[in-house]
Amino acid sequence: MHLYLVLIMPWFRWALALLILVYGLLTYDRESISWGVAGLLLYVVPLALQATRRVLARTYALWLGIFLMVQSLLSFYFIDNFVSLSPHLRLTVKISATDIPGILPGTRYISTDALGFRATPAVDYLHKRGYRIFAIGGSTTEEIMLDDHSTWPYLLQQRLQQPGQPVEVINTGVSGLRASNHLATLRDILPYQPDLVIFLMGANDWNQQIKNHFEWRNHLPPVLRYTLVGKAVQQLVIFPLKSLWMKDRPQQKTMHILSMADYSNPRKSLFKAIQHRYQPSDVAVNYAETLGKISRICHENKVPCLFMTQPSGYHPAASPAFQESFWMTPPYASYTLDIESMAHIAALYNRHMLDFARQAGHPSCDIAPGVAASYAHFFDDMHYNETGAQRVAELVAPCVQTIMAKQ
């Protein structure tokens, strides 16, 4: 028996260490080099230490690898998905490009407050004045290409101002966020006494549904950055050190955009060699379930929540020239859906949003049909140019005014 263990156990520990490394490779963070490398190094440790003669080192290295894998799996259930832009950000976007429709060359200024939200003028969260609105969404709310005074939340704020009643519209949007993130944001902003919360969501969730259908990798647990360990490192180490360094020293950044390629992936994604037709009959289950959780929080806290449909350029009648600007069909993929499939899934999510709001007893605002699927309002398939942001503010303002009048 002893001889059997001597012969078998070395192979077992090497195989286990190799499995841990493979897991690390499969969950490598492609979006962040620093987090990707840090995570990969941690998953290399168990394999590297199998070469040592120290039994304890070999054993604890394997336990480290197992711990990393298990906490990654558990992160699905216990992690807080709240994400914001960097606090005290001062971003200067210098646009020299002439190929971004509706975005003229010039300089834009993007700023965030202590919470990482875009709010102009500055908001005193501890001493509320007037009517307070939070806008929650992804990149079509964040609008990182637009100046602080050109985003639809700011323009909506200007439209809602009344003598003697200041209105604050606080932009919490961050690119790439999905319903689970919006749920976490809603929970995070409740202490700041919102009078209304506006949700503009759907695009990142339908892209996730597409990727889950065609890419097995998307079913893997989260990478290190989005796990319990990653969040702990951020909260206990990175954020305190960053706050100490950035105290009284706003984070100054400059982005130079010389062409559309500097902002997004190469365009013309609709013309990729691999093209699929995918027209699901329903939205993703976890998306529908998360909407239900958002609804319960809105009702339990007696906070009016307004749900907007998501405008996009996905329409079979969109001009060929406009379709050449598309890059999110879906983004960062080696394949594309055809335009009919993209139009179908966008309409599916918008219909679901309206049905959900009606059944759950929330107000809705169907702005998607009012935003032209052309360069008149978009500079690519999803993101508004300056005229598009004005149009969104124009469309949502009556919906908000109706809610305000009832309060």
Side-chain angles (χ1 to χ4, degrees):
M1 182 65 177
H2 177 71
L3 180 60
Y4 174 80
L5 291 176
V6 170
L7 293 174
I8 297 300
M9 289 303 290
W11 288 103
F12 174 77
R13 59 183 175 83
W14 278 101
L16 180 57
L18 184 60
L19 176 64
I20 292 168
L21 177 58
V22 169
Y23 181 90
L25 290 169
L26 291 176
T27 58
Y28 178 80
D29 193 341
R30 293 174 293 177
E31 299 176 3
S32 170
I33 295 177
S34 56
W35 278 101
V37 171
L40 192 57
L41 288 176
L42 284 175
Y43 283 107
V44 165
V45 168
L47 184 63
L49 288 184
Q50 295 315 300
T52 182
R53 294 183 178 181
R54 297 181 178 273
V55 176
L56 282 179
R58 298 198 304 259
T59 303
Y60 284 124
L62 289 175
W63 278 116
L64 170 65
I66 293 170
F67 166 75
L68 289 172
M69 294 172 65
V70 170
Q71 67 89 31
S72 176
L73 292 165
L74 292 177
S75 296
F76 271 126
Y77 303 99
F78 297 107
I79 203 164
D80 180 2
N81 288 307
F82 173 70
V83 179
S84 70
L85 293 174
S86 297
H88 303 297
L89 176 66
R90 299 295 180 268
L91 174 63
T92 301
V93 180
K94 295 185 177 180
I95 300 176
S96 301
T98 57
D99 62 341
I100 308 179
I103 304 290
L104 297 175
T107 302
R108 274 74 174 174
Y109 298 99
I110 291 88
S111 63
T112 63
D113 58 23
L115 299 180
F117 301 152
R118 298 186 71 177
T120 305
V123 170
D124 184 346
Y125 293 100
L126 298 180
H127 301 92
K128 182 180 174 182
R129 66 185 191 93
Y131 194 86
R132 179 169 291 176
I133 301 172
F134 283 86
I136 296 179
S139 58
T140 57
T141 299
E142 174 195 61
E143 297 187 290
I144 203 65
M145 283 277 284
L146 300 187
D147 187 87
D148 283 342
H149 296 90
S150 298
T151 66
W152 71 258
Y154 176 82
L155 297 173
L156 173 64
Q157 175 180 269
Q158 298 305 102
R159 285 178 172 272
L160 297 175
Q161 296 294 346
Q162 301 175 10
Q165 187 185 28
V167 177
E168 302 168 332
V169 181
I170 301 159
N171 183 348
T172 72
V174 180
S175 298
L177 299 193
R178 301 197 298 273
S180 59
N181 305 110
H182 305 327
L183 171 62
T185 301
L186 174 61
R187 289 172 174 153
D188 190 80
I189 58 97
L190 286 176
Y192 305 120
Q193 301 177 283
D195 293 299
L196 174 65
V197 180
I198 302 175
F199 290 90
L200 177 58
M201 56 194 289
N204 293 319
D205 291 279
W206 75 52
N207 278 324
Q208 187 67 23
Q209 181 175 359
I210 295 169
K211 289 190 171 187
N212 285 345
H213 183 77
F214 289 102
E215 302 175 35
W216 61 269
R217 182 189 174 101
N218 277 277
H219 295 278
L220 292 173
V223 293
L224 177 68
R225 180 166 41 139
Y226 302 116
T227 65
L228 294 167
V229 167
K231 289 292 184 180
V233 170
Q234 292 181 71
Q235 294 293 333
L236 300 178
V237 181
I238 297 177
F239 289 165
L241 290 176
K242 193 172 184 178
S243 296
L244 184 64
W245 172 252
M246 296 306 299
K247 186 177 181 181
D248 302 322
R249 188 188 291 112
Q251 185 175 351
Q252 303 281 351
K253 289 184 177 181
T254 301
M255 179 189 300
H256 294 275
I257 298 180
L258 304 178
S259 70
M260 184 62 184
D262 293 325
Y263 169 74
S264 68
N265 269 10
R267 293 178 283 181
K268 301 184 178 181
S269 67
L270 276 177
F271 306 99
K272 290 177 180 176
I274 303 174
Q275 188 170 105
H276 297 297
R277 184 176 182 83
Y278 175 53
Q279 298 188 4
S281 59
D282 206 351
V283 300
V285 172
N286 60 346
Y287 174 76
E289 291 176 347
T290 305
L291 282 180
K293 294 177 183 178
I294 290 173
S295 174
R296 285 192 291 274
I297 291 176
C298 294
H299 283 308
E300 289 169 359
N301 291 274
K302 296 180 171 58
V303 177
C305 291
L306 173 65
F307 294 88
M308 298 162 57
T309 52
Q310 176 73 73
S312 73
Y314 305 130
H315 193 285
S319 71
F322 179 49
Q323 291 184 27
E324 288 187 359
S325 71
F326 294 3
W327 63 278
M328 298 181 64
T329 62
Y332 315 118
S334 59
Y335 57 90
T336 181
L337 298 193
D338 57 36
I339 185 64
E340 291 79 14
S341 294
M342 291 304 305
H344 169 88
I345 199 168
L348 173 69
Y349 270 72
N350 283 336
R351 284 196 305 272
H352 182 90
M353 179 64 78
L354 296 174
D355 292 341
F356 150 77
R358 183 182 66 256
Q359 294 169 9
H362 299 291
S364 62
C365 196
D366 188 12
I367 67 170
V371 183
S374 71
Y375 284 134
H377 292 149
F378 296 96
F379 63 80
D380 60 16
D381 39 352
M382 288 298 306
H383 301 96
Y384 321 123
N385 55 30
E386 291 168 353
T387 303
Q390 293 173 13
R391 180 59 175 160
V392 171
E394 176 187 352
L395 291 168
V396 72
C399 299
V400 175
Q401 288 167 339
T402 298
I403 297 171
M404 294 176 67
K406 294 179 179 178
Q407 289 179 290

